[in-house]
Amino acid sequence: MSTTGSQRPAQVSAARRRTVIDALRRGAVPESGLDLLATGLDRFEAALDAELDAVASGGSVFKAVRGEYGSGKTFFTRWLGERAKRRNFAVAEIQISENETPLHKLETVYRRLTERLTTSSFPPSALRPVVDAWFYALEEDALAAGATEEELPDEVEKLLVARLAEVSRHAPSFATALRGYRAALADGDEATAAAVLAWLGGQPHVAASARRSAGVRGDLDHFGALGFLQGLLTVLRDSGHTGLFVVLDEVETLQRVRSDARDKALNALRQLIDEVHSGRFPGLYLVITGTPAFYDGQQGVQRLAPLAQRLATDFTTDPRFDNPRAVQIRLPGFTQESLVDLGVTIRDLYADAATSPARVQTVVDDAYVADLARAVGGALGGKVGVAPRLFLKKLVGDVLDRVDQFDDFDPRQHYKLTVASSELTDVERNLAAAVTSGSATADDIDLEL
């Protein structure tokens, strides 16, 4: 991130503030309210907003985000997802992992997408509200076209066939399942309706009786998943949503799987990119995140030449001149200065709802925030780019909370930074171990906290 300050709204609701602060206290990236924390992202805004607008108009976009651990990839994608949601996109964030969500099994990726699907009105999973809104829209369109109550079921069926005609060429069972869902609801059979909708969402092991009643069979497979994604985009569009924003996070985990599974996953990624660029998925904004080693190393993208060609981006110039319109964009990560800027932003946000805002601002002044940032970075081997999560956790949970609750607490006198192994991620733990085993230690940093 750059050192550009954030443009925090003058008025922040108590709920949004609490959501952000509570997440930081746990050492997590907030699920929402990220615009309150965004620093240095303004240089991406114009290009990314233009891409979101293009997708809302029926286009499709694929974007690859690269950055080292701690550079803010998850923060960035959630921030972009919030911008998409404000444009009435549906959003889904999927963590790629060898056991839970292997990328080479697109049917599993699709299932996770429907499980994590959220909209501005509904939390995950928003699949059922979206489908119900779609049928309501079909009924409204049929009535607007002059259908009577008696003619309504047949006219809705005609509209269903027409709207899903292209989808049915690749995945006819998608439309069949929707009919089965609607028929079960009409019969008052909630259990069957829920089971059919689960099958439509890619869930395996749906009761055979429910599948038979809907006229579908088997489970969703790798190739059927692409057709179902196409169908979901159609349902979203017709139910009033402008598009679907999907994040495949931590794709770099592919480097640690077996070579055969890795090759299949890389080829699946190449297939997804080609399908997006071919126009098969109008209304889809697809983002992947990964480390530079994934994009540049021989165990990652470079292992599959066609994929490497599709993601090739010039990063030899100064990061200031990176092209945010390129297929791949990089997050340069935090510097000491930008980390302090973020800490000050959090301190100000916290103070707005503190018992004594003036005391919080005075005791935890900018100089103390800078000292704490240096101390946390020192505990992690001076790797400032890895420090944000732990720094914000310590700032909120160990310092700001105590200053707010105890009138005589002074962090310069009563608080000494401690970093327990149990509160670190694997990367942070490795860096901390390197500090304690090397010639330099956190104690070597002379700081008056």
Side-chain angles (χ1 to χ4, degrees):
M1 305 295 179
S2 76
T3 59
T4 305
S6 63
Q7 300 298 317
R8 187 162 62 89
Q11 298 295 325
V12 181
S13 71
R16 294 185 73 210
R17 183 187 299 107
R18 184 171 55 251
T19 296
V20 170
I21 296 298
D22 285 351
L24 297 179
R25 186 182 289 118
R26 299 192 310 271
V29 176
E31 293 287 345
S32 61
L34 297 177
D35 57 309
L36 304 177
L37 312 180
T39 61
L41 299 182
D42 52 311
R43 66 193 186 98
F44 295 110
E45 287 182 359
L48 297 178
D49 285 349
E51 290 178 348
L52 288 171
D53 291 340
V55 172
S57 299
S60 54
V61 167
F62 172 85
K63 207 77 170 179
V65 178
R66 68 187 273 147
E68 296 287 2
Y69 178 89
S71 61
K73 297 188 294 296
T74 299
F75 181 97
F76 176 85
T77 54
R78 289 184 182 173
W79 167 80
L80 184 54
E82 281 196 346
R83 300 182 78 84
K85 199 174 286 186
R86 285 198 291 270
R87 288 169 167 76
N88 204 25
F89 277 64
V91 174
E93 178 184 320
I94 305 165
Q95 301 292 323
I96 298 300
S97 67
E98 179 180 5
N99 296 322
E100 297 296 325
T101 315
L103 184 56
H104 67 282
K105 295 184 177 180
L106 292 182
E107 67 274 24
T108 304
V109 175
Y110 172 80
R111 180 166 78 246
R112 296 286 180 258
L113 189 161
T114 60
E115 290 171 350
R116 296 290 300 159
L117 188 68
T118 181
T119 68
S120 57
S121 303
F122 295 98
S125 165
L127 179 61
R128 182 160 190 168
V130 166
V131 171
D132 289 344
W134 185 66
F135 276 117
Y136 178 79
L138 293 185
E139 291 175 355
E140 290 296 297
D141 289 347
L143 291 172
T148 64
E149 290 294 333
E150 293 76 16
E151 298 169 338
L152 188 59
D154 291 338
E155 293 303 315
V156 168
E157 171 66 18
K158 292 178 182 178
L159 286 175
L160 184 152
V161 171
R163 302 282 173 86
L164 296 177
E166 180 62 25
V167 175
S168 295
R169 291 179 54 242
H170 303 283
S173 55
F174 187 86
T176 302
L178 284 172
R179 292 190 190 93
Y181 170 72
R182 188 164 185 265
L185 286 181
D187 293 340
D189 189 349
E190 172 60 29
T192 297
V196 173
L197 193 66
W199 187 89
L200 191 72
Q203 297 294 334
H205 315 306
V206 172
S209 58
R211 286 186 274 120
R212 279 196 303 272
S213 68
V216 297
R217 62 179 64 185
D219 292 329
L220 184 64
D221 61 19
H222 177 89
F223 298 102
L226 294 177
F228 273 41
L229 175 58
Q230 193 176 3
L232 179 60
L233 288 167
T234 300
V235 169
L236 284 167
R237 180 196 64 211
D238 289 350
S239 61
H241 295 281
T242 51
L244 173 62
F245 179 87
V246 177
V247 179
L248 303 181
D249 202 11
E250 298 183 1
V251 179
E252 69 268 11
T253 56
L254 296 180
Q255 298 172 101
R256 300 192 292 270
V257 305
R258 296 192 324 268
S259 60
D260 58 335
R262 185 188 313 137
D263 291 342
K264 291 178 182 177
L266 292 172
N267 191 60
L269 182 56
R270 191 272 313 160
Q271 182 183 6
L272 273 173
I273 295 173
D274 287 350
E275 295 283 13
V276 169
H277 289 162
S278 73
R280 180 179 178 182
F281 301 123
L284 177 64
Y285 195 120
L286 178 62
V287 180
I288 66 169
T289 72
T291 59
F294 169 71
Y295 292 110
D296 302 335
Q298 292 304 313
Q299 299 305 313
V301 168
Q302 301 303 316
R303 189 178 177 91
L304 183 62
L307 178 60
Q309 292 166 6
R310 286 157 176 76
L311 296 180
T313 305
D314 179 18
F315 290 118
T316 60
T317 58
D318 188 305
R320 292 180 302 159
F321 306 118
D322 283 359
N323 178 16
R325 299 173 182 171
V327 66
Q328 187 182 156
I329 57 177
R330 65 176 164 183
L331 303 179
F334 280 88
T335 63
Q336 179 68 25
E337 184 180 2
S338 60
L339 188 61
V340 173
D341 284 347
L342 180 57
V344 169
T345 298
I346 298 303
R347 188 270 319 277
D348 293 345
L349 182 67
Y350 189 103
D352 289 345
T355 303
S356 177
R359 170 173 157 73
V360 171
Q361 295 277 3
T362 301
V363 176
V364 189
D365 57 13
D366 293 4
Y368 178 81
V369 172
D371 287 345
L372 183 62
R374 282 195 296 272
V376 174
L380 298 176
K383 300 292 185 180
V384 177
V386 184
R389 186 196 72 85
L390 186 61
F391 165 63
L392 295 176
K393 183 175 186 291
K394 296 293 185 182
L395 177 63
V396 173
D398 289 355
V399 177
L400 291 172
D401 279 347
R402 286 171 170 158
V403 171
D404 189 38
Q405 295 176 81
F406 305 105
D407 292 340
D408 57 344
F409 178 78
D410 184 345
R412 294 186 183 277
Q413 299 180 37
H414 305 126
Y415 175 68
K416 180 179 180 180
L417 175 68
T418 58
V419 179
S421 177
S422 60
E423 64 181 326
L424 300 178
T425 64
D426 290 341
V427 174
E428 293 165 346
R429 191 175 298 113
N430 290 337
L431 288 172
V435 171
T436 56
S437 64
S439 58
T441 70
D443 294 333
D444 293 329
I445 302 174
D446 185 17
L447 292 174
E448 290 295 332
L449 294 178

